[in-house]
Amino acid sequence: MNSLPSGGVPASEKKNRHRGWIPLVWLLAALGCGWIVATTPVTADLTVFVPRADPVADLLLEQLRSGPTTRLILVGLAGDSEAARATASRRLAENLRDNKLFARVANGADALPETELQALFAHRYRLSPTVAPERFTAEGLRAALEQRLRELQSPLAVLQKRWLPGDPTGELLTLLRVWRGGVGEPAKRLGVWFSPDGARALLLAETRASGYDLAGQREAVAAIRAGFAAAGVGTGVTVTMSGPGVLATLAEDQISAEAELRSTLAMAAMVLILIGVYRSPRTVWAGALPMLAALLAGAAAVDLLFGKMYMITLAFSVTLLGETLDYPTYLFSHRRAGETVEETQRQLWPTLRLCAATTLLGCLAMITPDFPGLSQLGVFTIAGIAAAVATARWLLPALLPPDWAPPRPGEVGAWADWLLEPRPKLALAFGALGLLLLAALIIRAPPLWEDNIAALSPVPRQLLQLDQELRAALGAPEVGRLIVITAPDAETALRHGERVAAWLDARQAEGALDGYDGPMRYLPSQQTQWQRQAQLPAPETLAAHLATATMELPFKPGLFQPFLDAVAAARTAPPLRPEDLRGTLLGARVDALLLAGARGWTALLPLSGVRDARALIADLPQTADSQAYYLDLRAETSRLVADFRDTALLRFGWGAALIVAVVWIGLRSWRGVAAALLPVLLALVVVVAALLALGERLSLFHLVSLLLVLGIGVDYGLFFSRPGTDPAARRRTLHALLVCCGSALTVFALLSTSALPALHAIGLTVSLGVVASFAAALALARPLLTRMS
């Protein structure tokens, strides 16, 4: 019976009134966090997981975000006859060239719009790499005119007739070959590019959107499909596409589909477990509130401190917050008759508080200014865990009726006493097993870490094979290798690029690579343009040489007056700069390879067919004002992954030390610390050994999953080693931990069946971890506590 104070109001009723403000405050906080989260931009930028003050890493990430090789979409047209494929190629190219999404569409056919042809023609004597004094001597002009006469009898006759009076030396043809070729030009059939075996007609589309802009890449892919739908009408031709943007959008689609499917199945499994175990729908919404609070508070804290949320942080943190589902489960299983919800929660609070504190302090070690991504992960988890445990501690008792208990509370049968009986010999066996596994790992020293980020790609292997085939057939630059030049200004970058290009020509002749591209191919430095202008002869000299060269050739007198005028004008024309080309296709090509940024200007030289990387790294030309780097994106990515992993391991080690400290502060007993932590340490050894035995190599996803296992395992150890609990309370604890372990195992076992490497790694690691942690805590925690005491 409730006692009546002097005011006549029962104490329990008065207490309930005082708790009435808790739901209101929680709701206002949730709405506030929800508003912050709704306005939080979520990006997939990887730069936050890269250490600061690493110039090569900055260059690498710049290329991953916006490098020219990431803008290329490789298109293959297969099926039907060769003529049908060639026709579809021409139609598709025509459909796409007017689309503003693309900076360039090439299929081997003469494709430049009239304005671009006019621009190249007007600037030919400054842009053409074949401009040299010997081309304007009488002998040089004679040879060029004879060549033009032969070409007039070829399929190029139309083009030659049009440009011949102003360009007898053929500088425009040289520029068109540079424009079409890039790194290397594929074989041609019926006037368009084909694969060497003729099975595919090939096109190359360069998007204006960077490869990092998935929305832009998705739009470009849709435009190509729409263009092909019109171009391939009435034929049996099929289209295939590849390239970084295409593969990235495909990966995003697969990840979204897998995540939605697994999340739905996991949510359904959780609901069934809660209702099946406790026979109360109330446990579903009461169990969801701490998780909801964790997600909102974590995301809001990250937005307030960082201004944006990174997708990878969100994915990892949601996994870590799986621990929050255990907090309400402890309450449900420990309810008993004659005790209010508040009283039950108050009894659990010291252990629950210690569980949360160990996770919070463990994550505190992740906050470092050198790794913003890792700091985001720590902030998200700290805020989320704090919100979840606060919700479980104060909101649930305020929302649930004081005497509420699930229809089927945490009662277990007599078998629980047998299961809970301390077995020191079994504990020793577990400990010996752990030591043996640890010794075996040290002796065998199997490959431990997976630093190749490509191994975690969700893209099917056959699509990666298609990408290699199309890239080889098109001679397209490889995504993985390029030379990057950083300089204070565009002119210095172009000059350095020309010096490197000359050096690469020598390496190409030696067979170290197949080809390269670069901005200096399309826009020479001003210094080079001045040199070319200086090599142009004076008008009277050129006129004399031309008169000699045309003797006895069938050209009308005065036909080449436009040529004489053009050379005279080019001698004094100002050199072209990047800004002079803006808004043109030529400018778009240059802009993709010559970039202005915070560190100055960057020139990119994508490489193709690299066979001897050491020869390219050694003696790479440098200058006093600019630097050139050979960048192997795959190798550098692996190095960054390894650096991040090492830093994360060091930070996690500090976190483990903080966990030991806080458990000691909470228990004031070294035997209690041993009973709480030794089981999970043994479980971690077992999990790592099991993963390696299954052929897994540990990636960052395994590492973060092990952190989650650590948090869950510490909770198991703390609850199993709670001092002073009677047998009935221990049975309820066993019930709670069985439910927690069962639900976690169900959810993460679902993830482990995913075809996506990341989800599979997380699911497998945590599934093994919760089983090992539960078994180790059950076998070791109580014996360690009683034996040491």
Side-chain angles (χ1 to χ4, degrees):
M1 177 184 244
N2 294 327
S3 62
L4 288 175
S6 58
V9 179
S12 60
E13 185 178 342
K14 191 174 182 180
K15 191 176 294 184
N16 287 338
R17 288 178 183 174
H18 289 167
R19 288 207 307 261
W21 59 270
I22 295 177
L24 179 61
V25 170
W26 189 92
L27 181 62
L28 291 175
L31 291 174
C33 291
W35 179 80
I36 294 173
V37 173
T39 59
T40 301
V42 179
T43 75
D45 196 346
L46 296 175
T47 58
V48 290
F49 285 93
V50 172
R52 293 296 181 251
D54 187 336
V56 175
D58 287 344
L59 289 173
L60 165 68
L61 293 170
E62 193 171 281
Q63 296 319 301
L64 291 177
R65 285 198 304 266
S66 57
T69 53
T70 67
R71 300 169 185 263
L72 296 181
I73 295 180
L74 320 176
V75 183
L77 303 177
D80 211 317
S81 64
E82 184 175 283
R85 295 194 291 275
T87 301
S89 172
R90 289 193 190 88
R91 290 175 180 170
L92 177 57
E94 290 170 2
N95 291 341
L96 298 181
R97 281 182 184 124
D98 294 332
N99 195 317
K100 299 297 183 184
L101 295 173
F102 301 99
R104 176 175 60 128
V105 176
N107 67 340
D110 295 330
L112 278 180
E114 179 64 23
T115 54
E116 302 294 331
L117 276 175
Q118 291 289 353
L120 285 180
F121 186 73
H123 306 311
R124 60 192 181 281
Y125 294 112
R126 282 166 287 173
L127 300 182
S128 172
T130 54
V131 169
E134 58 270 20
R135 290 174 69 87
F136 300 94
T137 62
E139 293 77 14
L141 289 171
R142 178 79 179 192
L145 291 171
E146 290 175 347
Q147 175 66 24
R148 300 291 89 80
L149 283 174
R150 288 192 291 273
E151 291 172 352
L152 286 173
Q153 301 172 3
S154 72
L156 293 174
V158 175
L159 182 65
Q160 287 299 326
K161 284 181 180 176
R162 179 182 178 188
W163 303 109
L164 179 62
D167 186 25
T169 57
E171 307 304 336
L172 179 61
L173 285 177
T174 300
L175 291 175
L176 289 177
R177 280 194 289 271
V178 171
W179 174 264
R180 292 192 202 111
V183 170
E185 189 171 16
K188 272 188 179 180
R189 298 189 184 198
L190 301 178
V192 298
W193 289 340
F194 266 81
S195 59
D197 60 1
R200 291 193 186 102
L202 304 173
L203 293 92
L204 192 65
E206 183 177 344
T207 63
R208 294 188 187 277
S210 72
Y212 180 69
D213 180 1
L214 290 188
Q217 291 294 325
R218 192 180 297 281
E219 197 175 357
V221 169
I224 292 175
R225 293 195 184 283
F228 175 75
V233 169
T235 72
V237 179
T238 59
V239 64
T240 52
M241 283 181 280
S242 188
V246 176
L247 298 181
T249 55
L250 178 63
E252 185 185 52
D253 292 342
Q254 286 199 325
I255 291 173
S256 298
E258 279 275 334
E260 288 177 10
L261 174 63
R262 308 286 164 181
S263 299
T264 303
L265 292 176
M267 289 298 294
M270 290 299 303
V271 170
L272 290 176
I273 288 174
L274 289 174
I275 293 179
V277 171
Y278 298 109
R279 305 293 174 85
S280 169
R282 183 173 280 167
T283 58
V284 176
W285 63 258
L289 287 177
M291 182 69 175
L292 177 62
L295 291 174
L296 291 175
V302 166
D303 179 65
L304 291 175
L305 292 177
F306 296 90
K308 54 187 173 183
M309 168 74 72
Y310 297 98
M311 194 176 293
I312 194 168
T313 304
L314 181 62
F316 282 166
S317 300
V318 169
T319 303
L320 287 173
L321 292 176
E323 185 179 350
T324 62
L325 293 173
D326 292 350
Y327 299 153
T329 303
Y330 297 139
L331 173 65
F332 302 154
S333 288
H334 283 88
R335 290 292 298 124
R336 60 182 176 179
E339 186 179 83
T340 66
V341 173
E342 173 64 27
E343 289 169 344
T344 302
Q345 196 65 296
R346 195 182 305 131
Q347 291 174 14
L348 292 173
W349 180 237
T351 305
L352 200 62
R353 180 179 55 195
L354 198 53
C355 291
T358 55
T359 304
L360 293 179
L361 289 181
C363 293
L364 194 62
M366 298 161 65
I367 299 177
T368 165
D370 294 334
F371 280 83
L374 197 61
S375 299
Q376 274 206 8
L377 187 58
V379 168
F380 190 108
T381 309
I382 288 172
I385 291 289
V389 76
T391 299
R393 171 62 184 89
W394 288 287
L395 180 66
L396 295 187
L399 290 179
L400 295 171
D403 57 349
W404 173 83
R408 189 176 175 182
E411 296 293 341
V412 292
W415 57 269
D417 294 332
W418 176 85
L419 200 62
L420 289 167
E421 184 179 343
R423 290 182 173 79
K425 292 182 179 177
L426 182 61
L428 286 175
F430 263 108
L433 174 65
L435 291 176
L436 284 174
L437 289 173
L438 187 60
L441 285 177
I442 294 173
I443 294 172
R444 290 192 58 189
L448 192 61
W449 303 110
E450 180 57 82
D451 293 333
N452 182 11
I453 202 167
L456 305 176
S457 172
V459 179
R461 191 175 299 275
Q462 60 268 26
L463 290 184
L464 296 177
Q465 180 65 30
L466 172 66
D467 181 75
Q468 292 178 355
E469 291 175 3
L470 290 177
R471 195 169 295 280
L474 276 162
E478 297 171 5
V479 176
R481 293 169 176 175
L482 70 161
I483 290 175
V484 179
I485 297 172
T486 58
D489 53 69
E491 174 64 11
T492 304
L494 288 171
R495 289 186 187 184
H496 196 165
E498 290 167 348
R499 187 175 170 187
V500 172
W503 180 80
L504 284 174
D505 287 337
R507 304 290 82 75
Q508 186 176 353
E510 295 170 358
L513 74 163
D514 286 342
Y516 65 91
D517 204 354
M520 64 286 166
R521 289 172 61 94
Y522 310 101
L523 178 64
S525 67
Q526 295 183 44
Q527 183 184 50
T528 297
Q529 293 182 56
W530 285 324
Q531 290 173 351
R532 288 175 183 169
Q533 287 176 301
Q535 293 169 345
L536 297 173
E540 58 277 11
T541 303
L542 181 62
H545 290 171
L546 182 63
T548 303
T550 54
M551 290 177 63
E552 300 178 358
L553 291 180
F555 295 111
K556 296 178 181 177
L559 176 66
F560 296 110
Q561 186 58 45
F563 167 59
L564 299 174
D565 295 340
V567 172
R571 282 166 51 85
T572 56
L576 286 172
R577 302 165 300 171
E579 52 267 32
D580 297 325
L581 303 175
R582 295 279 155 72
T584 66
L585 289 179
L586 182 59
R589 178 76 68 91
V590 172
D591 287 344
L593 297 168
L594 184 65
L595 316 168
R599 295 185 305 275
W601 286 76
T602 302
L604 308 173
L605 283 71
L607 307 176
S608 174
V610 175
R611 286 182 287 276
D612 188 355
R614 291 184 179 179
L616 299 181
I617 296 172
D619 301 327
L620 189 61
Q622 303 289 349
T623 71
D625 300 328
S626 57
Q627 290 77 43
Y629 304 90
Y630 173 82
L631 207 57
D632 184 331
L633 299 188
R634 185 168 301 168
E636 288 301 325
T637 302
S638 297
R639 181 182 69 82
L640 291 177
V641 170
D643 288 348
F644 180 79
R645 182 201 64 223
D646 292 343
T647 301
L649 277 175
L650 180 63
R651 289 280 166 178
F652 292 163
W654 281 109
L658 286 174
I659 288 175
V660 173
V662 75
V663 171
W664 184 87
I665 292 172
L667 300 179
R668 298 288 181 178
S669 162
W670 282 114
R671 66 173 182 269
V673 172
L677 300 184
L678 282 181
V680 69
L681 293 180
L682 174 61
L684 290 175
V685 172
V686 171
V687 171
V688 171
L691 290 172
L692 295 178
L694 292 171
E696 297 275 321
R697 295 179 69 173
L698 305 186
S699 67
L700 196 58
F701 298 108
H702 295 95
L703 201 58
V704 176
S705 302
L706 289 173
L707 186 63
L708 175 58
V709 171
L710 176 63
I712 292 174
V714 170
D715 293 358
Y716 292 172
L718 286 170
F719 269 96
F720 271 129
S721 62
R722 289 174 68 200
T725 53
D726 56 54
R730 292 184 57 210
R731 286 195 293 271
R732 286 192 291 274
T733 297
L734 175 63
H735 182 274
L737 295 182
L738 279 171
V739 175
C740 292
C741 181
S743 58
L745 183 60
T746 303
V747 170
F748 287 99
L750 278 172
L751 283 184
S752 70
T753 61
S754 172
L756 299 180
L759 295 184
H760 170 76
I762 293 171
L764 181 62
T765 306
V766 181
S767 298
L768 293 172
V770 293
V771 173
S773 298
F774 181 85
L778 178 63
L780 292 177
R782 179 61 64 173
L784 282 171
L785 191 67
T786 55
R787 187 62 69 163
M788 291 180 70
S789 61

